[in-house]
Amino acid sequence: MEEQKSGRKTRVGTVMSNAMDKTVVVIVERLINHPKYRKFIRRRNKFKAHDAQNACGVGDKVLIEESRPLSKSKRWVVVKILEKAAI
C-alpha cells in the first residue's frame, strides 16, 4: 500500500496559546534572505489550528496541515505533537 500525496501545505510551529476550546494558536517562524542587504530576517506567522482532543499545551512543537475552513479564522489542523514542552 502506498501513501497518497496530498496537495496540502504543512508547517512546523510552536503552540503559543491553548485558551480556546479545541483550538490552538501556533506561531511559525521562518528565515528569509533580504534581497538588497543579504541579511537573514526572521518572519513569524500565527495560525489557528483545530486540536480535537485538546492535547496540545503551550510551548509544544506541533505539525499542522492545511484543511477546509472550520470557522471564520481556523483553516489548519494539528496532525501530531512532535515535542512536548518541558515544564
Side-chain angles (χ1 to χ4, degrees), residues 5-87:
K5 279 192 175 181
S6 66
R8 296 180 175 181
K9 297 173 190 169
T10 59
R11 302 280 185 265
V12 175
T14 308
V15 176
M16 196 173 125
S17 169
N18 65 348
M20 295 171 274
D21 186 33
K22 295 186 180 180
T23 304
V24 290
V25 178
V26 179
I27 193 161
V28 176
E29 244 182 34
R30 60 192 171 92
L31 291 174
I32 63 160
N33 200 355
H34 192 281
K36 182 176 182 181
Y37 299 114
R38 302 290 180 215
K39 182 177 180 178
F40 283 102
I41 303 168
R42 193 165 292 169
R43 296 283 186 203
R44 292 183 182 137
N45 292 95
K46 283 199 267 186
F47 300 102
K48 288 190 180 87
H50 184 67
D51 178 22
Q53 286 85 32
N54 280 329
C56 296
V58 176
D60 291 353
K61 196 171 186 181
V62 294
L63 176 71
I64 59 174
E65 183 181 62
E66 201 175 29
S67 73
R68 65 182 177 83
L70 298 167
S71 72
K72 180 183 174 182
S73 59
K74 196 163 48 165
R75 275 102 172 95
W76 296 81
V77 175
V78 175
V79 177
K80 66 177 168 180
I81 300 170
L82 301 173
E83 191 178 305
K84 289 297 261 182
I87 297 171

